[in-house]
Amino acid sequence: MKLLPFILCSSHYSPIVAAVPEDVGTAGALRAIAHHLTAKDILVVTGDLVSDIPPGAVAAAHRRHDAVVTTMLCSAPVGGPAESGSSAGKDKIKKPRWYNIIGLDLAKQFLLHIATGAEVDKDIRIQKSILHAVGQMEIRSDLMDAHMYAFKRSVLQEVLEEKDKFQSLKRDVLPYLVQSQLRSEVLLNGVLSQAEENGNEKVSSQNNHVMVSQILANASTPSFHELYASGHNGSASVQRIHKCCAYIASNSKYCSRLNSIQAFSDINRDVIGEANHLSGYSFSAHNNVIHPSAQLGLKTTVGPHCMLGEGSQMGDKCSVKRSVIGSHCRIGSNVKVVNSVIMNHVTIGDDCSILDSVICNNVQLQKRVGLKDCQVGAGFVVTAGCEYKGESLARKEK
């Protein structure tokens, strides 16, 4: 599954679409429209985010702290978020689970450390200066970077220009800003000492080390940047200090990224289940959605947390459980659909069984087809009597 390689921005209230090559990444996409960005702060939202969290809440937190970046964090799926691009079927078993390792201050407002895509069993290294600065840090692996960022535009443009090799906001830009936020220089007895350089502390004496710790100890307080911006009592000069903040979404809010086939299936089920307020549909007394124009055969059942779209028809003795069926589908008799998503204009013959699968638009399944953990591409025809498990079926491009 690939997202279209374009980025949308607004200039003088008119939308602008800039096409970019697929391999430039999110940072490269922003470089392509950098000259269109003029606001003091900008909000960057990935196209695969499904959430009811108002972006204005993130923007408000960003402005309140005068941060250079504020990232939205939400609860990670149980077992950790799958790596982007994974699918159902065989890949669902083979691909490892990846995690974000996130360090927060005790007030959970400032982002002090982030390691994205790090496996849990790998060593995690944290800068000593960070620990000296905050005294205590809360390390979390149960939070997901939702890919909603508020940036101070001038700082983002400077980073994108100076770090022309950066491709990803998540893997390059955000960690860089977090790692550099406590970089400082201390003038002690006429000697300039660098407190932080490339992640390693370089101090000329124990006294300098103590001075750095004392200054950075205030870094997690809102007044730090005003207090030390131009030196404190003439003894210290802190340069290039900025704030990286986190907005942690409430557990009552829905937040998920549609970045894999498995996530696509899960989100579809969520929207007709626990997150049904996102669907915009009215649910029946049976806790499902059946369009008034849909037709059901004799002894056909559509269970709770299911949806049957406009103009779709089902034959006799069919069973649908925890699945979404789109509009204008033609489904024969004695068909079983479980934990699956069937898109629009799909034709399914008699006696078919579909389990944990995604079927795209205009697919035709002939009689007695069995699918388990499969994805079927648009317009594909599955021959009668065939059975597939853990397969991706698609038409060959000419």
Side-chain angles (χ1 to χ4, degrees):
M1 176 184 293
K2 290 185 177 180
L3 298 178
L4 293 176
F6 69 83
I7 186 165
L8 178 68
C9 70
S10 177
S11 179
H12 303 294
Y13 307 103
S14 299
I16 298 172
V17 177
V20 296
E22 288 189 3
D23 59 352
V24 301
T26 49
L30 281 174
R31 283 193 192 93
I33 62 163
H35 58 290
H36 293 295
L37 304 178
T38 58
K40 177 182 177 182
D41 299 297
I42 63 172
L43 193 67
V44 180
V45 185
T46 185
D48 61 12
L49 177 62
V50 180
S51 177
D52 57 356
I53 300 167
V58 179
H62 179 74
R63 290 168 179 163
R64 183 168 62 250
H65 294 294
D66 190 27
V68 299
V69 62
T70 300
T71 182
M72 186 174 82
L73 305 173
C74 58
S75 296
V78 176
E83 185 183 14
S84 176
S86 66
S87 61
K90 294 178 179 178
D91 291 341
K92 184 170 59 177
I93 299 173
K94 289 183 177 180
K95 291 200 173 185
R97 289 290 180 174
W98 297 74
Y99 295 79
N100 296 314
I101 305 301
I102 292 169
L104 301 168
D105 71 310
L106 296 187
K108 298 180 178 62
Q109 294 180 332
F110 293 91
L111 186 62
L112 304 174
H113 176 81
I114 185 165
T116 60
E119 289 185 88
V120 173
D121 58 353
K122 294 291 181 66
D123 292 336
I124 301 299
R125 298 186 178 184
I126 298 175
Q127 297 171 358
K128 290 181 180 180
S129 63
I130 298 289
L131 296 178
H132 286 305
V134 298
Q136 297 182 61
M137 182 191 302
E138 182 176 306
I139 300 295
R140 303 279 295 270
S141 63
D142 61 337
L143 294 173
M144 178 182 75
D145 179 354
H147 283 213
M148 181 185 291
Y149 309 110
F151 285 102
K152 183 171 289 187
R153 187 259 309 163
S154 59
V155 175
L156 176 62
Q157 288 179 326
E158 179 182 348
V159 172
L160 292 176
E161 182 178 348
E162 292 182 356
K163 305 294 182 180
D164 56 359
K165 300 298 183 182
F166 281 2
Q167 290 190 321
S168 170
L169 291 178
K170 176 180 178 179
R171 294 186 176 87
D172 298 321
V173 176
L174 181 59
Y176 172 77
L177 290 173
V178 171
Q179 290 167 10
S180 63
Q181 66 181 317
L182 296 181
R183 186 172 299 162
S184 61
E185 292 180 348
V186 178
L187 185 62
L188 184 66
N189 296 327
V191 179
L192 189 64
S193 160
Q194 188 77 20
E196 184 78 22
E197 180 68 29
N198 298 326
N200 296 316
E201 292 184 334
K202 295 181 178 180
V203 292
S204 58
S205 69
Q206 183 64 30
N207 289 335
N208 276 13
H209 179 83
V210 172
M211 176 65 75
V212 173
S213 298
Q214 290 174 347
I215 292 173
L216 297 182
N218 297 286
S220 63
T221 64
S223 61
F224 170 72
H225 301 273
E226 291 78 14
L227 184 62
Y228 290 107
S230 59
H232 181 54
N233 295 331
S235 63
S237 174
V238 181
Q239 299 180 355
R240 295 182 62 84
I241 291 292
H242 55 254
K243 287 183 267 190
C244 299
C245 294
Y247 177 89
I248 302 179
S250 168
N251 288 335
S252 64
K253 296 293 187 178
Y254 186 82
C255 182
S256 188
R257 292 192 57 218
L258 204 162
N259 58 357
S260 68
I261 296 295
Q262 184 62 40
F264 176 78
S265 300
D266 293 342
I267 291 171
N268 270 274
R269 285 191 289 270
D270 289 344
V271 170
I272 54 173
E274 62 185 42
N276 55 50
H277 62 284
L278 295 176
S279 69
Y281 292 104
S282 298
F283 281 67
S284 71
H286 301 289
N287 205 22
N288 59 21
V289 177
I290 300 178
H291 195 276
S293 64
Q295 299 179 18
L296 302 181
L298 297 174
K299 298 183 179 180
T300 287
T301 60
V302 178
H305 306 314
C306 290
M307 176 178 171
L308 184 61
E310 178 182 1
S312 290
Q313 299 178 6
M314 300 190 70
D316 299 336
K317 298 181 180 179
C318 294
S319 174
V320 180
K321 298 180 180 179
R322 300 181 300 280
S323 297
V324 174
I325 298 175
S327 61
H328 305 293
C329 294
R330 299 293 180 265
I331 299 175
S333 298
N334 198 34
V335 173
K336 295 182 179 180
V337 182
V338 181
N339 283 336
S340 296
V341 178
I342 297 173
M343 298 187 190
N344 303 325
H345 299 282
V346 173
T347 301
I348 300 176
D350 296 342
D351 303 308
C352 289
S353 175
I354 303 165
L355 176 64
D356 295 325
S357 297
V358 176
I359 299 176
C360 295
N361 294 333
N362 300 303
V363 166
Q364 180 181 352
L365 305 185
Q366 297 180 352
K367 295 181 179 181
R368 302 181 306 281
V369 167
L371 300 177
K372 183 177 180 180
D373 291 326
C374 291
Q375 303 92 49
V376 185
F380 192 83
V381 178
V382 182
T383 307
C386 290
E387 294 189 2
Y388 295 97
K389 181 178 179 180
E391 298 290 343
S392 295
L393 309 174
R395 292 189 300 180
K396 294 182 179 180
E397 296 183 3
K398 296 181 180 180

